[in-house]
Amino acid sequence: MEKDMICICCPKGCHLHYKNNEISGYTCLRGKEYGLQEAIAPKRILTSTFKVNSSTINVLPCKTSGPIPKEKIFLVMAEINKLSVDLPIKMNQVLIKNVLSLGVDIIATKECN
């Protein structure tokens, strides 16, 4: 497998190339690690909204507490879409603990009373 990508670790935006389990084009170790991770098993922080049981607010923002495998994004979204929470909500409140056994939580990113 071959893959070209642009590194997002710093403003340089190095053009990385992955081939035969090797990465080239990086200018720092962070870029090398990013390129290998992105080529082999890409991960993302997921940001979304969850439903709130309130007459004045319909949804509030949330995110994963850490990166999740890119291929699991839609499964995690399905779990978030099942959620309906009562107020008050605290900042960083855990809404779903260890979502899909991925080792990350879904947390609120806004406080609301």
Side-chain angles (χ1 to χ4, degrees):
M1 173 180 83
E2 283 191 58
K3 185 173 185 177
D4 290 310
M5 63 200 98
I6 296 175
C7 183
I8 61 169
C9 291
C10 76
K12 277 185 167 179
C14 296
H15 290 260
L16 308 177
H17 182 74
Y18 174 81
K19 182 179 179 181
N20 299 327
N21 293 326
E22 296 282 330
I23 196 84
S24 61
Y26 60 91
T27 57
C28 68
L29 290 179
R30 286 178 53 208
K32 180 181 180 181
E33 291 172 14
Y34 168 79
L36 288 172
Q37 175 70 46
E38 188 65 17
I40 296 167
K43 293 184 175 185
R44 301 288 186 269
I45 297 285
L46 174 63
T47 60
S48 185
T49 57
F50 64 96
K51 293 178 212 152
V52 177
N53 299 322
S54 169
S55 60
T56 56
I57 299 172
N58 294 326
V59 295
L60 284 174
C62 64
K63 70 174 190 167
T64 54
S65 61
I68 60 171
K70 189 176 175 184
E71 70 271 8
K72 301 285 185 184
I73 288 176
F74 289 108
L75 294 173
V76 172
M77 282 300 306
E79 294 300 307
I80 293 171
N81 289 338
K82 295 177 190 175
L83 194 60
S84 186
V85 181
D86 293 323
L87 296 178
I89 301 293
K90 300 291 181 196
M91 177 76 112
N92 295 320
Q93 177 178 331
V94 174
L95 304 169
I96 304 174
K97 182 87 173 148
N98 194 19
V99 65
L100 298 177
S101 300
L102 294 173
V104 297
D105 303 326
I106 303 300
I107 58 173
T109 58
K110 184 176 180 181
E111 189 165 311
C112 189
N113 295 314

